[in-house]
């Protein structure tokens, strides 16, 4: 009897210890906001849009001043999920190569329950059954996504969404609300065990349309409407949804155990002009200018992340190793390009700080191929152009590489060496001739994804 009692106590203690250990692991919600540059967020100085929930997360957490994505979405998504530069594994728009071991694969191996919600757009040219399985293949236990199988479907009013392999009814729904509800339900369901949510928001991408609560939304019939005047309401609705995520964590009493990180996937749409600290900033999406890659990045977790304004460079590849440090997951067998910023999150002196950002930019046909490296002051392109982007952010005047100062020469040599080391080989300077189209139809410019 005593032996049986001892065995029972031992098992009970093991279960208790396991439960405590599980609770000690930090949950993570990584939010990727679609098409938003730093100039469009309140705490980064916009004069036009109100983002009180993001601003509060920044005020009580870390606001990173120099975070950079790639200028359009698929390269950014492949980059952040793989922890590698696009010159290593980017193949084509709308596709994530099957061999990639994502950060979700890694944290799942550590015992995390995982979910992805929002925009997928990574299974182009895959058949339907393969596409429906892809989120699982890349490490997610559950999903609720737009653009898994069919391209060009509604993403906002009457959105076409797929949840765990099945298409959801779409009459009279607002896509972002459904996605936000899925995230909050997933969190509630898994609050007693460690979880990772990769929330790839559909806002603030175009088409710019009215949002729920506006009279124009109730009467909206033309789902192709795309008017930049609604960008403000889209930004503010996105911020409202982030507030709902935070409140749900508080309601389920796991706010202090959950790391929230939110970042943009590329610059703001070029259709949008934002008033920013007395200047007018045209959205830089698709361009290699700073406005194309400079995005908001805020991280928050009370008692874990130390409030601060951080001016160090951050690249999308850095999220993978940082997640490994937060969750305790093992790094993949393949080498990553990212540098963990975990020590910077928790207030420790970092052992390594990023001193350049490299972008290998293979977008859609609309955008030229570009490969370049930069820091907070200088930028070097694989085609030889060299700029002082601090003095010349619009890159209107190339520096004469034959007449550089010693300081400029040092930066030139450093950035050029990085580009030569990391770039995808090949000559991408030749542009294909555009076919002449008659009127609309096939020659009509398609909406960018």
């Amino acid at each position: 009897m005593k032996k049986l009692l001892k065995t029972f106590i031992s098992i009970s203690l093991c279960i208790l210890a396991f439960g405590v250990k599980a609770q000690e692991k930090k949950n993570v919600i990584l939010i990727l906001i679609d098409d938003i540059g730093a100039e469009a967020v309140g705490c980064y100085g916009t004069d036009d849009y109100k983002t009180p929930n993001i601003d509060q997360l920044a005020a009580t957490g870390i606001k990173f001043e120099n975070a950079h994505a790639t200028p359009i979405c698929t390269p950014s998504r492949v980059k952040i999920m793989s922890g590698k530069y696009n010159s290593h594994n980017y193949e084509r728009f709308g596709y994530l190569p099957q061999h990639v071991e994502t950060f979700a694969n890694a944290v799942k191996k550590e015992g995390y329950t995982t979910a992805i919600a929002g925009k997928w757009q990574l299974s182009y040219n895959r058949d339907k059954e393969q596409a429906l399985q892809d989120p699982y293949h890349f490490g997610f236990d559950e999903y609720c996504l737009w653009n898994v199988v069919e391209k060009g479907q509604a993403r906002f009013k009457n959105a076409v969404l797929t949840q765990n392999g099945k298409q959801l009814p779409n009459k009279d729904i607002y896509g972002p609300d459904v996605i936000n509800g899925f995230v909050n339900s997933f969190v509630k369901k898994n609050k007693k065990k460690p979880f990772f949510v990769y929330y790839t928001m559909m806002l603030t991408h175009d088409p710019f349309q009215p949002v729920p609560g506006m009279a124009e939304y109730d009467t909206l019939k033309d789902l192709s409407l795309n008017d930049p005047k609604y960008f403000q309401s889209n930004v503010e609705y996105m911020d409202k949804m982030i507030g709902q995520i935070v409140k749900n964590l508080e309601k389920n009493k796991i706010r202090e155990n959950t790391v929230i990180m939110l970042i943009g996937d590329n610059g703001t749409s070029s259709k949008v002009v934002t008033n920013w600290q007395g200047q007018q900033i045209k959205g830089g999406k698709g361009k290699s200018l700073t406005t194309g890659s400079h995005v908001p990045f805020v991280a928050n977790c009370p008692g874990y992340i130390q409030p601060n304004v951080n001016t160090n460079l951050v690249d999308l590849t850095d999220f993978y190793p940082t997640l490994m440090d937060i969750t305790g997951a093992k790094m993949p067998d393949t080498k990553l390009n990212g540098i963990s910023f975990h020590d910077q999150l928790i207030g420790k002196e970092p052992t390594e700080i990023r001193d350049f950002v490299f972008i290998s930019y293979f977008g859609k046909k609309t955008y030229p191929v570009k490969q370049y490296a930069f820091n907070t002051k200088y930028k070097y392109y694989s085609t030889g152009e060299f700029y002082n982007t601090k003095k010349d952010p619009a890159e209107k005047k190339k520096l004469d590489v034959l007449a550089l100062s010693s300081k400029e020469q040092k930066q030139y040599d450093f950035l050029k060496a990085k580009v030569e080391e990391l770039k995808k080989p090949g000559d991408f300077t030749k542009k294909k001739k555009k076919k002449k189209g008659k009127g609309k139809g096939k020659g009509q410019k398609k909406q960018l994804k």
Side-chain angles (χ1 to χ4, degrees), residues 121-391:
Q121 198 166 284
L122 292 171
S123 297
Y124 282 11
N125 301 320
R126 303 267 290 159
D127 68 39
K128 181 178 179 180
E129 291 307 314
Q130 290 174 327
L132 292 173
Q133 291 299 313
D134 277 351
Y136 300 132
H137 172 76
F138 290 113
F140 300 101
D141 294 310
E142 295 189 39
Y143 68 85
C144 185
L145 295 164
W146 172 79
N147 213 0
V148 177
V149 178
E150 298 180 12
K151 305 177 187 178
Q153 299 297 307
R155 71 180 86 190
F156 299 126
K157 190 171 186 179
N158 298 337
V160 177
L161 304 175
T162 305
Q163 182 170 323
N164 299 331
K166 297 180 180 180
Q167 186 170 312
L168 298 177
N170 72 322
K171 185 179 179 182
D172 298 329
I173 68 166
Y174 185 60
D177 281 345
V178 175
I179 297 295
N180 223 51
F182 170 84
V183 171
N184 283 334
S185 295
F186 177 85
V187 166
K188 182 180 179 181
K189 182 172 63 176
N190 294 286
K191 64 183 178 181
K192 291 186 178 180
K193 51 188 174 182
F195 62 77
F196 169 59
V197 177
Y198 181 37
Y199 184 4
T200 56
M201 302 185 91
M202 296 185 290
L203 290 168
T204 57
H205 199 292
D206 67 345
F208 305 121
Q209 297 177 354
V211 298
M214 301 176 68
E216 298 99 313
Y217 177 83
D218 296 332
T219 58
L220 179 64
K221 302 295 183 185
D222 180 10
L223 300 185
S224 67
L225 174 70
N226 191 5
D227 192 335
K229 75 177 184 180
Y230 293 112
F231 182 70
Q232 177 177 353
S233 59
N234 289 187
V235 170
E236 294 177 359
Y237 202 88
M238 172 273 296
D239 180 78
K240 173 185 174 182
M241 293 198 303
I242 288 174
Q244 292 171 352
I245 296 294
V246 175
K247 287 179 182 177
N248 185 59
L249 293 172
E250 293 171 345
K251 183 179 179 181
N252 287 285
K253 299 180 180 179
I254 52 172
R255 178 71 183 88
E256 288 74 19
N257 199 46
T258 305
V259 175
I260 300 171
M261 294 188 285
L262 60 92
I263 188 167
D265 74 335
N266 50 247
T268 308
S269 168
S270 60
K271 301 180 182 75
V272 175
V273 176
T274 297
N275 290 300
W276 179 84
Q277 298 186 2
Q279 302 176 49
Q280 287 197 319
I281 307 293
K282 184 177 180 179
K285 177 180 178 177
K287 295 182 174 63
S288 59
L289 299 175
T290 301
T291 50
S293 64
H294 185 212
V295 290
F297 171 32
V298 170
N300 189 291
C301 182
Y304 182 69
I305 290 178
Q306 302 303 306
N308 189 18
V309 175
N310 187 302
T311 59
N312 295 327
L313 287 167
V314 173
D315 177 82
L316 290 182
T317 59
D318 300 336
F319 282 80
Y320 198 132
T322 302
L323 282 167
M324 300 304 97
D325 285 341
I326 293 172
T327 62
K330 293 180 180 179
M331 293 284 280
D333 293 334
T334 57
K335 182 182 178 182
L336 302 182
N337 296 121
I339 299 171
S340 175
F341 51 81
H342 178 251
D343 285 347
Q344 298 179 64
L345 291 178
I346 62 176
K348 287 179 63 177
E349 188 67 27
T351 55
E352 186 177 8
I353 295 175
R354 176 170 290 281
D355 52 6
F356 74 97
V357 169
F358 172 70
I359 292 179
S360 179
Y361 180 24
F362 295 76
K364 299 178 77 173
K365 293 179 182 178
T366 316
Y367 306 122
V369 173
K370 291 190 177 182
Q371 301 191 87
Y372 51 99
F374 60 92
N375 52 33
T376 56
K377 193 170 183 179
Y378 296 98
K379 180 184 288 185
Y380 173 83
Y381 287 89
S382 61
T383 45
E385 296 92 344
F386 185 54
Y387 296 93
N388 184 327
T389 50
K390 189 171 184 179
K391 292 181 178 179

Side-chain angles (χ1 to χ4, degrees), residues 60-115:
T60 57
I62 295 186
K63 181 180 76 162
F64 288 84
E65 296 280 12
N66 286 301
H68 289 269
T70 5
I72 62 169
C73 58
T74 300
S76 284
R77 291 159 199 272
V78 173
K79 194 174 189 180
I80 195 172
M81 292 175 74
S82 69
K84 294 185 179 184
Y85 297 129
N86 292 133
S87 54
H88 289 63
N89 59 16
Y90 180 79
E91 295 184 10
R92 61 181 181 268
F93 189 83
Y95 181 70
L96 179 61
Q98 292 291 299
H99 69 268
V100 171
E101 182 178 347
T102 73
F103 48 35
N105 292 124
V107 299
K108 185 176 179 180
K109 289 177 183 177
E110 183 58 23
Y112 275 69
T113 302
T114 59

